[in-house]
Amino acid sequence: MPNFMPKLPASRARMVALGLIVALTASGCTQMKGRQGYVVDPVLTQAITPGVDNRESVEKTLGRPTFVGQFSNNEYYYVSRETRQLAFANPRPVSQQVLRVRFDPAGNVAAVDRTGLELVSKINPNGDKTPTLGRHRSFFEDIFGNIGAVGAPGAGAPPGQ
């Protein structure tokens, strides 16, 4: 039976293998898109009108809110966020919209506010340790520091017990 497999020169085979390796490696560096929260429909969000709509009509138009106000249920929040992430990096926000619908005591829409990325804040932690007040003890002082202190006067146990 004849052999129909074409023979590649060694240099060309190396180039094809190198190309495949580069393509597989580069595909891991693609940017990933993410969407969180409410999917915004501009037509529906523009349709909410103060003085015309009430709590029931807002829920029928926009659906249930992402969350309700913390101190009273007179505020509905619809939060939408779009992020991008490159390989193993942390996702970063690209766009965000927060729609806040405020109601008066009768349940009618009093105001509709929209905010975006301008209110997103970046928090930089202070290293890998939480700063605390008080003594700075080593690992071994934490482990062995209480030896002999149990039942000692002034260590918290009342006398006679």
Side-chain angles (χ1 to χ4, degrees):
M1 179 185 258
N3 187 1
F4 291 108
M5 293 291 292
K7 300 267 181 174
L8 290 176
S11 62
R12 185 168 175 166
R14 280 191 214 119
M15 291 300 284
V16 168
L18 182 64
L20 286 172
I21 291 171
V22 168
L24 289 173
T25 304
S27 68
C29 296
T30 59
Q31 202 174 53
M32 295 182 290
K33 299 177 184 178
R35 178 173 295 275
Q36 300 166 333
Y38 180 74
V39 178
V40 176
D41 185 353
V43 174
L44 294 178
T45 57
Q46 296 293 332
I48 304 300
T49 309
V52 175
D53 288 307
N54 59 20
R55 191 180 311 266
E56 185 179 327
S57 67
V58 169
E59 285 186 15
K60 285 183 180 178
T61 304
L62 299 179
R64 290 180 43 197
T66 307
F67 61 92
V68 179
Q70 182 175 2
F71 300 109
S72 72
N73 59 357
N74 288 335
E75 292 182 345
Y76 281 1
Y77 292 91
Y78 294 89
V79 180
S80 173
R81 179 182 249 188
E82 188 175 327
T83 60
R84 299 280 190 272
Q85 180 178 3
L86 185 62
F88 299 106
N90 290 329
R92 58 181 171 78
V94 175
S95 68
Q96 174 174 307
Q97 180 179 354
V98 178
L99 178 71
R100 179 176 72 168
V101 181
R102 290 186 291 154
F103 300 100
D104 61 13
N108 298 320
V109 175
V112 178
D113 303 321
R114 292 171 181 81
T115 60
L117 277 175
E118 68 273 2
L119 295 181
V120 174
S121 61
K122 183 171 174 61
I123 299 172
N124 291 322
N126 185 7
D128 60 350
K129 293 183 181 179
T130 304
T132 59
L133 299 174
R135 290 184 29 189
H136 297 285
R137 299 184 345 177
S138 70
F139 173 74
F140 291 109
E141 286 175 329
D142 280 339
I143 292 178
F144 301 115
N146 288 332
I147 294 178
V150 177
Q161 287 188 357

